[in-house]
Amino acid sequence: MSFLLISISYYTERFESTLLISQYFLLFGIYLYFCLQKEKFTVREIISYAILFRLLLVILVPNLSDDVYRFIWDGKLWWDGYDAYSILPSEFLKRSESAKFLFEKLNSPEYFSIYPPINQLVFIVITLFDKLFTSIIALRLLIIFTEIGSLYFLLRVFKQINLNGKSLLFYAFNPLVVLELVGNLHFEVFVIFFLVLCIYYFNQEKKSISSLSLGLAISFKLFPLIFLASFFKYLSLRDYLKYIVLSLFLVAIIFLPFIFSDVFKAIFSSSTLYFKNFEFNASIYFLVREIGFLAKGYNIIGTAGPILGLISFSAMVIFNLINIKDMKLAERMMWTYFIYLLFATTVHPWYILPLLVLGIISKYWFPIVWSFLIFVTYWGYTESGYIQNLSLISIEYISLIIFIVFELSYKRRIKKSNSYA
C-alpha cells in the first residue's frame, strides 16, 4: 500500500489517466483486503499505520489538484496589504509581474476568492514562510495533525455507539481520504474533524459544544449549513433554536475580523458564478442538462443550477421533518448530504469524504463504494485541460444507485428477521 501511495503521489501526473486509475484500483483492492482482515489489526496498529501513510506524503507537491496555489496566492495578498476578496488574480498580475509564476498555476484566475475567513487565516499563517514548498509542508503538517484528531474522536464516537473500534480502518486506510486530504490538501479535512466532534459532543449531551463544533465546520466550508436541519428531530423546539443561534453566532464572530473587506460580495459573486458555470461529475443535473440540450439547443446551467439548488434545499428540509423510526443523527446527516450531492452541479472526489465518515459511523458501505467509483472522474484530465466522460460518469452513478438499493434491501431484510426473532 505504501509503494502505491508513493507511486501515485510522487511519480504519476494527473493526465496519465490509465496509469493513475489502474494504480488506484489496485490500491483500493489492497484497502478492501485490509477491511476484510481488520480483526487481525489492533486499534493501535491501525492508527500507527494511518499516520505512517500520511507522513509518506509530507514533502509532496500536490499532483492531482492545483487548489493549494490559490490558498497561497490569497495568503500572500494579505501579507502584501491587499484584500484577497476585492482583487482578481488577473488584476493583481498587472500590478506585480513577480506574481506571474504563482498566477500561472491558478485554476480560476478570473474569480474572486470563494474561501471563507477562517480559511484565509490559515492561508495567512502558512504564507508566513516565503517559499512555496515550505508553505505546502506547513499546511500538510496542520492537516495531518487534524487527521490524527479525527481518528481520535472517531474512535470515541465508535465507543459511544458500540461500534467495533477496528472499524476505524475503513476511514484510516481509505486511499481517497489519504490522497485527497493529505496529498491534495483539501479543507474537507477540517469539516470532517468538526463534524465528528459535533456528533461526539451531541451524544455526550453537551449540546453547546456540539453546536460550536458545527459552527466551526460551517466556517471552513459553508455547505455544513445543511446539517442544521438534521438536529430538528432530536431537540425540543426551544433547544433546537438555541442550537442554531449558537452555531451561527460563532460563524458570525469568525467573519467579524473581515467585516470591512469585500468578503460577502466576493463569496456571493463567486458562488453565483460557481452554480451557474461550473459542472463536474454531476448526476441529476447532467440528466437535466441533456434534456435542456434537446429542448433548447444550449446548456441551461444558468437556470437549471439555481432551480436544482432550490429543489435540493426543499428535499433536505422535507427529509429532516420526517420522523423515521430509529434513525440516528449521523445517518440523518448522511442522507441529508447525499441529497445535496445528488442535486449538485459539481461533485469532485473530495466532496464525498464527509459522506464517507458519516456512512462509516452509520454502518453503511455505499460511501466506501463511491470512494472507489468516483476516482474514474480523473480519466478526463489532459495536459491542456479536462474533458467530461459521460459514459464513465453514467457507470459511476448507475453502479452506485444499484449498490444503494441492494444495501437498503439487505438492511431491511436483516431488520425484519431480527423483529421476528
Side-chain angles (χ1 to χ4, degrees):
M1 190 164 180
S2 298
F3 172 80
L4 285 168
L5 277 173
I6 291 171
S7 178
I8 289 174
S9 302
Y10 290 96
Y11 299 104
T12 309
E13 296 293 337
R14 184 169 62 177
F15 58 81
E16 296 179 296
S17 302
T18 303
L19 178 62
L20 175 63
I21 293 175
S22 60
Q23 286 182 108
Y24 183 80
F25 283 4
L26 182 57
L27 182 60
F28 205 91
I30 296 171
Y31 161 70
L32 286 179
Y33 173 78
F34 285 150
C35 287
L36 295 173
Q37 300 293 320
K38 74 178 191 298
E39 294 303 326
K40 294 183 178 180
F41 293 89
T42 66
V43 171
R44 186 183 297 272
E45 286 174 336
I46 291 170
I47 294 173
S48 298
Y49 281 122
I51 295 172
L52 172 63
F53 294 149
R54 286 153 175 79
L55 287 175
L56 289 173
L57 308 185
V58 74
I59 60 170
L60 170 70
V61 175
N63 64 325
L64 301 181
S65 171
D66 44 20
D67 286 355
V68 69
Y69 300 113
R70 186 57 183 258
F71 304 165
I72 294 170
W73 176 277
D74 283 4
K76 286 185 177 294
L77 280 184
W78 292 111
W79 282 114
D80 288 342
Y82 292 94
D83 181 350
Y85 291 118
S86 66
I87 185 168
L88 292 169
S90 53
E91 291 176 0
F92 181 76
L93 187 63
K94 298 173 185 176
R95 307 181 191 182
S96 175
E97 278 294 320
S98 62
K100 188 174 181 180
F101 172 76
L102 193 55
F103 176 83
E104 290 174 346
K105 295 180 178 294
L106 301 180
N107 57 25
S108 300
E110 298 300 330
Y111 290 83
F112 289 104
S113 181
I114 199 172
Y115 300 107
I118 197 168
N119 299 51
Q120 299 293 339
L121 291 173
V122 174
F123 304 160
I124 290 169
V125 171
I126 65 171
T127 49
L128 273 168
F129 309 98
D130 190 49
K131 291 186 176 179
L132 177 68
F133 183 64
T134 312
S135 295
I136 288 173
I137 291 178
L139 179 55
R140 181 164 289 114
L141 289 174
L142 176 60
I143 283 175
I144 289 173
F145 280 122
T146 304
E147 276 280 82
I148 292 171
S150 295
L151 294 173
Y152 174 76
F153 280 101
L154 257 178
L155 193 59
R156 299 193 74 172
V157 169
F158 289 171
K159 289 179 180 177
Q160 289 176 330
I161 61 177
N162 296 318
L163 184 62
N164 186 348
K166 295 178 182 181
S167 296
L168 192 66
L169 186 148
F170 298 150
Y171 177 82
F173 288 13
N174 187 282
L176 194 69
V177 171
V178 179
L179 292 172
E180 296 293 2
L181 299 186
V182 182
N184 295 324
L185 305 173
H186 293 298
F187 274 47
E188 275 71 11
V189 68
F190 301 110
V191 174
I192 288 169
F193 173 74
F194 287 112
L195 284 181
V196 172
L197 207 62
C198 166
I199 293 169
Y200 171 72
Y201 282 113
F202 193 85
N203 292 343
Q204 288 279 86
E205 299 292 331
K206 295 179 180 179
K207 304 298 191 298
S208 295
I209 302 177
S210 172
S211 174
L212 293 172
S213 299
L214 182 57
L216 286 166
I218 294 167
S219 298
F220 274 102
K221 292 271 187 173
L222 297 180
F223 76 80
L225 276 166
I226 65 176
F227 295 128
L228 288 170
S230 300
F231 292 83
F232 180 74
K233 285 295 180 181
Y234 306 98
L235 296 168
S236 66
L237 181 59
R238 181 176 177 177
D239 287 342
Y240 177 65
L241 292 175
K242 285 168 61 178
Y243 192 96
I244 291 177
V245 169
L246 182 59
S247 188
L248 295 181
F249 179 73
L250 178 60
V251 176
I253 292 296
I254 292 171
F255 270 73
L256 197 58
F258 293 81
I259 195 71
F260 296 109
S261 76
D262 287 328
V263 55
F264 298 107
K265 176 185 174 183
I267 291 178
F268 177 77
S269 172
S270 293
S271 297
T272 302
L273 287 169
Y274 179 84
F275 284 109
K276 290 186 176 182
N277 291 276
F278 280 70
E279 48 186 28
F280 183 92
N281 189 39
S283 55
I284 292 174
Y285 162 70
F286 275 168
L287 292 174
V288 172
R289 188 187 68 171
E290 291 306 306
I291 294 171
F293 275 127
L294 291 173
K296 301 285 188 179
Y298 60 87
N299 191 337
I300 60 171
I301 187 173
T303 52
I307 290 172
L308 286 176
L310 288 173
I311 294 173
S312 174
F313 174 78
S314 302
M316 288 184 286
V317 169
I318 292 170
F319 171 75
N320 282 291
L321 289 175
I322 297 172
N323 187 21
I324 303 174
K325 187 179 179 181
D326 299 328
M327 181 172 282
K328 304 297 183 183
L329 173 64
E331 184 178 356
R332 190 175 286 274
M333 293 170 75
M334 178 194 74
W335 288 117
T336 299
Y337 190 46
F338 183 65
I339 292 170
Y340 170 83
L341 292 173
L342 280 181
F343 286 94
T345 59
T346 302
V347 184
H348 287 293
W350 55 93
Y351 285 16
I352 74 165
L353 295 178
L355 183 79
L356 176 70
V357 174
L358 295 169
I360 292 169
I361 295 172
S362 305
K363 305 175 188 176
Y364 277 86
W365 273 87
F366 81 85
I368 293 176
V369 171
W370 201 1
S371 72
F372 167 73
L373 295 169
I374 201 168
F375 206 80
V376 300
T377 58
Y378 276 104
W379 189 274
Y381 286 99
T382 65
E383 292 186 68
S384 58
Y386 185 81
I387 301 171
Q388 299 272 7
N389 189 318
L390 294 181
S391 297
L392 285 177
I393 293 171
S394 298
I395 292 171
E396 173 197 349
Y397 281 105
I398 291 170
S399 301
L400 177 64
I401 295 302
I402 289 172
F403 189 88
I404 290 173
V405 171
F406 168 79
E407 185 167 25
L408 288 175
S409 299
Y410 176 77
K411 283 181 175 290
R412 191 175 292 113
R413 287 199 302 272
I414 293 297
K415 188 175 181 180
K416 188 176 291 186
S417 63
N418 290 339
S419 66
Y420 292 142

